[in-house]
Amino acid sequence: MELIFVRHGEPLSVETTGEPADPPLSERGAWQAERVSLWLAAEPVDALVTSNKTRAQQTVAPLA
């Protein structure tokens, strides 16, 4: 078994007011997500696991 851990792409910078921040990916972060999906495209992927954070889900979306 091989596990590959990928950190989420770059999120938008937001100011919070005490609430947990859940910003989407920035334009650069979306580009990073696309690049990692291209890098892994030829690999046999059995499962994708992510948190419920928007930026994490958007990072795996191109590969999913």
Coordinates of all heavy atoms in Angstrom, one line a residue:
M1 N 0.8 -1.2 0.0 CA 0.0 0.0 0.0 C 0.9 1.2 0.0 O 1.9 1.3 0.7 CB -0.9 0.0 1.2 CG -1.7 1.3 1.3 SD -2.7 1.6 2.8 CE -3.1 0.0 3.5
E2 N 0.5 2.2 -0.8 CA 1.2 3.5 -0.8 C 0.2 4.6 -0.5 O -0.9 4.7 -1.0 CB 1.7 3.7 -2.2 CG 2.5 5.0 -2.4 CD 3.1 5.1 -3.8 OE1 2.9 4.3 -4.6 OE2 3.9 6.0 -4.0
L3 N 0.6 5.5 0.4 CA -0.2 6.6 0.8 C 0.5 7.9 0.3 O 1.7 8.1 0.5 CB -0.4 6.7 2.3 CG -1.1 5.6 3.0 CD1 -1.1 5.8 4.5 CD2 -2.5 5.5 2.5
I4 N -0.3 8.7 -0.3 CA 0.2 10.0 -0.7 C -0.6 11.1 0.0 O -1.8 11.2 -0.2 CB 0.1 10.2 -2.3 CG1 0.9 9.1 -2.9 CG2 0.6 11.5 -2.7 CD1 0.7 9.0 -4.4
F5 N 0.1 11.9 0.7 CA -0.5 13.1 1.4 C -0.3 14.3 0.6 O 0.9 14.6 0.2 CB 0.1 13.2 2.8 CG -0.3 12.1 3.7 CD1 0.5 11.0 3.8 CD2 -1.5 12.2 4.5 CE1 0.1 9.9 4.7 CE2 -1.8 11.2 5.4 CZ -1.1 10.0 5.5
V6 N -1.3 15.1 0.4 CA -1.2 16.3 -0.4 C -1.9 17.4 0.5 O -3.0 17.3 0.9 CB -1.9 16.2 -1.8 CG1 -1.8 17.6 -2.5 CG2 -1.2 15.2 -2.6
R7 N -1.2 18.5 0.7 CA -1.8 19.6 1.4 C -2.7 20.4 0.5 O -2.4 20.4 -0.7 CB -0.7 20.5 2.0 CG -1.2 21.6 2.9 CD 0.0 22.3 3.6 NE -0.5 23.2 4.6 CZ -0.9 24.4 4.5 NH1 -0.9 25.0 3.3 NH2 -1.3 25.1 5.5
H8 N -3.7 21.0 1.0 CA -4.6 21.8 0.1 C -3.9 22.9 -0.6 O -2.8 23.3 -0.2 CB -5.8 22.4 0.9 CG -5.3 23.3 2.0 ND1 -4.9 24.6 1.7 CD2 -5.2 23.1 3.3 CE1 -4.6 25.2 2.9 NE2 -4.8 24.3 3.9
G9 N -4.5 23.3 -1.8 CA -3.9 24.4 -2.5 C -4.1 25.7 -1.7 O -4.7 25.8 -0.7
E10 N -3.5 26.7 -2.3 CA -3.5 28.1 -1.6 C -4.9 28.6 -1.5 O -5.5 28.8 -2.6 CB -2.6 29.0 -2.4 CG -2.5 30.4 -1.9 CD -1.8 31.3 -2.8 OE1 -2.3 31.9 -3.7 OE2 -0.6 31.5 -2.5
P11 N -5.4 28.9 -0.3 CA -6.7 29.5 -0.2 C -6.7 31.0 -0.4 O -5.6 31.6 -0.3 CB -7.1 29.1 1.2 CG -5.8 29.1 2.0 CD -4.8 28.6 1.0
L12 N -7.9 31.6 -0.6 CA -8.0 33.0 -0.6 C -7.7 33.5 0.8 O -8.0 32.8 1.8 CB -9.4 33.4 -1.0 CG -9.8 33.3 -2.4 CD1 -11.3 33.6 -2.6 CD2 -9.0 34.2 -3.3
S13 N -7.2 34.7 0.9 CA -6.9 35.3 2.2 C -8.2 36.0 2.6 O -8.7 36.8 1.9 CB -5.7 36.3 2.0 OG -5.5 36.9 3.3
V14 N -8.6 35.6 3.8 CA -9.8 36.2 4.4 C -9.6 36.7 5.8 O -8.7 36.2 6.5 CB -11.0 35.3 4.4 CG1 -11.4 34.9 2.9 CG2 -10.7 34.0 5.2
E15 N -10.3 37.7 6.2 CA -10.3 38.2 7.6 C -11.4 37.5 8.3 O -12.5 37.5 7.8 CB -10.3 39.7 7.6 CG -9.1 40.3 7.0 CD -8.9 41.8 7.4 OE1 -9.4 42.2 8.5 OE2 -8.2 42.5 6.7
T16 N -11.2 37.0 9.5 CA -12.2 36.4 10.3 C -12.7 37.2 11.4 O -12.0 38.1 11.9 CB -11.7 35.0 10.8 OG1 -10.6 35.2 11.7 CG2 -11.3 34.1 9.7
T17 N -13.8 36.9 11.9 CA -14.4 37.7 13.0 C -14.7 36.7 14.2 O -15.7 36.7 14.8 CB -15.7 38.3 12.6 OG1 -16.6 37.3 12.2 CG2 -15.5 39.3 11.5
G18 N -13.7 35.8 14.4 CA -13.9 34.8 15.5 C -14.4 33.5 15.0 O -14.3 32.5 15.7
E19 N -15.0 33.5 13.8 CA -15.6 32.2 13.3 C -14.5 31.5 12.6 O -13.5 32.1 12.1 CB -16.7 32.6 12.2 CG -17.9 33.2 12.8 CD -18.7 32.3 13.7 OE1 -18.8 31.1 13.4 OE2 -19.2 32.8 14.8
P20 N -14.5 30.1 12.5 CA -13.5 29.4 11.8 C -13.6 29.8 10.3 O -14.6 29.9 9.7 CB -14.0 27.9 12.0 CG -14.9 27.9 13.2 CD -15.5 29.3 13.2
A21 N -12.4 30.0 9.8 CA -12.3 30.4 8.4 C -12.4 29.2 7.5 O -11.9 28.1 7.8 CB -11.0 31.1 8.1
D22 N -13.1 29.3 6.4 CA -13.3 28.2 5.4 C -13.3 28.8 4.0 O -14.2 28.7 3.2 CB -14.6 27.5 5.6 CG -14.7 26.2 4.8 OD1 -13.6 25.8 4.2 OD2 -15.8 25.7 4.6
P23 N -12.2 29.5 3.6 CA -12.1 30.1 2.3 C -11.9 29.1 1.2 O -11.4 28.1 1.4 CB -10.9 31.1 2.4 CG -10.0 30.3 3.4 CD -10.9 29.7 4.4
P24 N -12.4 29.5 0.0 CA -12.1 28.6 -1.2 C -10.7 28.8 -1.7 O -10.0 29.7 -1.2 CB -13.1 29.2 -2.2 CG -13.3 30.6 -1.8 CD -13.2 30.6 -0.3
L25 N -10.3 28.1 -2.7 CA -9.0 28.2 -3.2 C -8.9 29.5 -4.0 O -9.9 30.0 -4.6 CB -8.7 27.1 -4.2 CG -8.6 25.7 -3.6 CD1 -8.3 24.6 -4.7 CD2 -7.5 25.6 -2.6
S26 N -7.7 30.0 -4.0 CA -7.4 31.2 -4.8 C -7.2 30.7 -6.2 O -7.2 29.5 -6.5 CB -6.1 31.9 -4.3 OG -5.0 31.0 -4.5
E27 N -7.0 31.6 -7.1 CA -6.7 31.2 -8.5 C -5.4 30.4 -8.6 O -5.4 29.4 -9.3 CB -6.5 32.5 -9.4 CG -6.4 32.2 -10.9 CD -6.4 33.5 -11.7 OE1 -7.1 34.4 -11.4 OE2 -5.6 33.5 -12.7
R28 N -4.4 30.8 -7.8 CA -3.2 30.0 -7.8 C -3.5 28.6 -7.2 O -2.9 27.6 -7.6 CB -2.1 30.7 -7.0 CG -0.8 30.0 -6.9 CD 0.3 30.9 -6.3 NE 1.5 30.2 -6.3 CZ 2.2 29.9 -5.3 NH1 1.8 30.2 -4.1 NH2 3.4 29.2 -5.4
G29 N -4.3 28.6 -6.1 CA -4.6 27.3 -5.5 C -5.4 26.4 -6.4 O -5.1 25.1 -6.4
A30 N -6.3 26.9 -7.3 CA -6.9 26.1 -8.3 C -5.9 25.5 -9.3 O -6.0 24.4 -9.7 CB -8.0 26.9 -9.0
W31 N -5.0 26.4 -9.7 CA -3.9 25.9 -10.6 C -3.1 24.8 -9.9 O -2.8 23.8 -10.6 CB -3.0 27.1 -10.9 CG -1.8 26.7 -11.8 CD1 -1.8 26.5 -13.1 CD2 -0.5 26.5 -11.3 NE1 -0.5 26.2 -13.5 CE2 0.3 26.1 -12.4 CE3 0.1 26.5 -10.0 CZ2 1.7 25.8 -12.3 CZ3 1.4 26.2 -9.9 CH2 2.2 25.9 -11.1
Q32 N -2.8 24.9 -8.6 CA -2.0 23.9 -7.9 C -2.8 22.6 -7.9 O -2.3 21.5 -8.0 CB -1.7 24.4 -6.5 CG -0.8 25.5 -6.4 CD -0.7 26.1 -5.0 OE1 -1.6 26.1 -4.3 NE2 0.5 26.7 -4.7
A33 N -4.1 22.7 -7.6 CA -5.0 21.5 -7.6 C -5.0 20.8 -8.9 O -4.9 19.5 -9.0 CB -6.4 21.9 -7.2
E34 N -5.1 21.5 -10.0 CA -5.0 21.0 -11.4 C -3.7 20.3 -11.6 O -3.6 19.2 -12.2 CB -5.3 22.0 -12.4 CG -5.5 21.5 -13.8 CD -6.7 20.6 -13.9 OE1 -7.7 20.8 -13.3 OE2 -6.5 19.6 -14.7
R35 N -2.6 20.9 -11.2 CA -1.3 20.4 -11.4 C -1.1 19.1 -10.7 O -0.5 18.1 -11.2 CB -0.2 21.4 -11.0 CG -0.1 22.6 -11.8 CD 0.3 22.4 -13.2 NE 1.7 21.9 -13.1 CZ 2.4 21.3 -14.1 NH1 1.8 21.2 -15.3 NH2 3.6 20.9 -14.0
V36 N -1.5 19.0 -9.4 CA -1.4 17.7 -8.6 C -2.2 16.6 -9.2 O -1.8 15.5 -9.3 CB -1.6 17.9 -7.1 CG1 -3.1 18.0 -6.8 CG2 -1.0 16.9 -6.3
S37 N -3.4 17.0 -9.8 CA -4.2 16.0 -10.4 C -3.6 15.4 -11.7 O -3.7 14.2 -12.0 CB -5.6 16.5 -10.8 OG -5.6 17.4 -11.9
L38 N -2.9 16.3 -12.4 CA -2.1 15.8 -13.6 C -1.0 14.9 -13.2 O -0.7 13.9 -13.9 CB -1.6 17.0 -14.4 CG -2.7 17.9 -15.1 CD1 -2.1 19.1 -15.7 CD2 -3.5 17.1 -16.1
W39 N -0.3 15.3 -12.1 CA 0.8 14.5 -11.6 C 0.4 13.1 -11.2 O 1.1 12.1 -11.4 CB 1.4 15.2 -10.4 CG 2.6 14.5 -9.8 CD1 3.8 14.2 -10.3 CD2 2.6 14.1 -8.4 NE1 4.6 13.6 -9.4 CE2 3.9 13.5 -8.2 CE3 1.7 14.2 -7.3 CZ2 4.3 13.0 -7.0 CZ3 2.1 13.6 -6.1 CH2 3.4 13.0 -6.0
L40 N -0.8 13.0 -10.6 CA -1.4 11.7 -10.2 C -2.3 11.0 -11.2 O -2.7 9.9 -10.9 CB -2.1 11.9 -8.9 CG -1.3 12.3 -7.7 CD1 -2.2 12.7 -6.5 CD2 -0.3 11.2 -7.3
A41 N -2.5 11.6 -12.3 CA -3.4 11.0 -13.3 C -3.1 9.6 -13.7 O -4.0 8.8 -13.9 CB -3.5 11.9 -14.5
A42 N -1.9 9.3 -13.8 CA -1.5 7.9 -14.3 C -1.4 6.9 -13.1 O -1.1 5.7 -13.4 CB -0.1 8.0 -15.0
E43 N -1.6 7.4 -11.9 CA -1.5 6.5 -10.7 C -2.9 5.8 -10.5 O -3.9 6.5 -10.7 CB -1.1 7.3 -9.5 CG 0.3 7.9 -9.6 CD 1.4 6.9 -9.7 OE1 1.3 5.8 -9.0 OE2 2.4 7.1 -10.4
P44 N -2.9 4.6 -10.1 CA -4.1 3.9 -9.7 C -4.6 4.5 -8.3 O -3.9 4.1 -7.3 CB -3.8 2.4 -9.6 CG -2.3 2.4 -9.4 CD -1.7 3.6 -10.0
V45 N -5.6 5.2 -8.3 CA -6.1 5.8 -7.0 C -7.3 5.1 -6.6 O -8.3 5.0 -7.3 CB -6.4 7.3 -7.2 CG1 -7.0 7.9 -5.9 CG2 -5.2 8.1 -7.6
D46 N -7.2 4.4 -5.4 CA -8.4 3.7 -4.9 C -9.3 4.5 -4.0 O -10.5 4.2 -3.9 CB -7.9 2.5 -4.0 CG -7.1 1.5 -4.9 OD1 -7.5 1.3 -6.0 OD2 -6.1 0.9 -4.3
A47 N -8.8 5.5 -3.4 CA -9.6 6.4 -2.5 C -9.1 7.7 -2.4 O -7.8 7.9 -2.4 CB -9.8 5.7 -1.2
L48 N -9.9 8.7 -2.2 CA -9.6 10.1 -1.8 C -10.2 10.4 -0.5 O -11.4 10.1 -0.3 CB -10.0 11.1 -2.9 CG -9.5 10.9 -4.3 CD1 -10.2 11.8 -5.2 CD2 -8.0 11.3 -4.3
V49 N -9.4 10.9 0.4 CA -10.0 11.3 1.7 C -9.6 12.7 2.0 O -8.4 13.1 1.8 CB -9.4 10.4 2.9 CG1 -9.9 10.8 4.2 CG2 -9.6 8.9 2.6
T50 N -10.6 13.5 2.4 CA -10.3 14.9 2.6 C -11.2 15.4 3.8 O -12.1 14.7 4.2 CB -10.7 15.7 1.4 OG1 -10.4 17.1 1.6 CG2 -12.1 15.6 1.0
S51 N -10.8 16.5 4.3 CA -11.7 17.1 5.4 C -12.9 17.8 4.8 O -13.1 17.8 3.5 CB -10.8 18.2 6.1 OG -10.7 19.4 5.3
N52 N -13.7 18.4 5.6 CA -14.9 19.0 5.1 C -14.7 20.5 4.7 O -15.6 21.2 4.4 CB -16.1 18.9 6.1 CG -15.8 19.6 7.4 OD1 -14.6 20.0 7.6 ND2 -16.7 19.7 8.2
K53 N -13.4 20.9 4.8 CA -13.1 22.3 4.4 C -13.2 22.5 2.9 O -12.8 21.6 2.1 CB -11.7 22.7 4.9 CG -11.5 22.7 6.4 CD -12.4 23.8 7.0 CE -12.1 23.9 8.5 NZ -12.9 24.9 9.1
T54 N -13.7 23.6 2.5 CA -13.9 23.9 1.1 C -12.6 23.8 0.3 O -12.5 23.2 -0.7 CB -14.5 25.4 0.9 OG1 -15.7 25.4 1.6 CG2 -14.7 25.7 -0.5
R55 N -11.5 24.4 0.9 CA -10.2 24.4 0.2 C -9.7 22.9 0.0 O -9.1 22.6 -1.1 CB -9.2 25.2 0.9 CG -8.9 24.8 2.3 CD -8.0 25.8 3.0 NE -7.9 25.5 4.4 CZ -8.6 26.0 5.4 NH1 -9.7 26.8 5.1 NH2 -8.4 25.7 6.6
A56 N -9.9 22.1 0.9 CA -9.5 20.7 0.8 C -10.3 19.9 -0.3 O -9.7 19.2 -1.1 CB -9.6 19.9 2.1
Q57 N -11.6 20.1 -0.3 CA -12.5 19.5 -1.2 C -12.2 20.0 -2.7 O -12.2 19.2 -3.6 CB -13.9 19.7 -0.9 CG -14.2 18.9 0.4 CD -15.7 19.1 0.9 OE1 -16.4 19.9 0.3 NE2 -16.0 18.5 2.0
Q58 N -11.9 21.3 -2.8 CA -11.6 21.8 -4.1 C -10.3 21.4 -4.6 O -10.1 21.3 -5.8 CB -11.6 23.4 -4.0 CG -13.0 23.9 -3.9 CD -13.0 25.5 -3.8 OE1 -12.0 26.1 -3.4 NE2 -14.1 26.1 -4.1
T59 N -9.4 21.0 -3.7 CA -8.0 20.5 -4.1 C -8.1 19.2 -4.7 O -7.5 18.9 -5.7 CB -7.1 20.5 -2.9 OG1 -6.9 21.9 -2.4 CG2 -5.7 20.0 -3.3
V60 N -9.0 18.3 -4.2 CA -9.1 16.9 -4.7 C -10.1 16.8 -5.9 O -10.1 15.8 -6.6 CB -9.5 15.9 -3.7 CG1 -8.4 15.8 -2.6 CG2 -10.8 16.1 -3.1
A61 N -10.9 17.9 -6.1 CA -12.0 17.8 -7.1 C -11.5 17.5 -8.5 O -12.0 16.6 -9.2 CB -12.8 19.1 -7.1
P62 N -10.4 18.1 -9.0 CA -9.9 17.7 -10.3 C -9.5 16.2 -10.5 O -9.7 15.7 -11.6 CB -8.7 18.6 -10.6 CG -8.9 19.8 -9.6 CD -9.6 19.2 -8.4
L63 N -9.0 15.7 -9.4 CA -8.6 14.3 -9.5 C -9.8 13.3 -9.3 O -9.8 12.3 -9.9 CB -7.6 14.0 -8.4 CG -7.0 12.6 -8.4 CD1 -6.3 12.3 -9.7 CD2 -6.0 12.4 -7.2
A64 N -10.8 13.8 -8.6 CA -12.0 13.0 -8.3 C -12.7 12.8 -9.6 O -13.3 11.8 -9.9 CB -12.8 13.6 -7.3

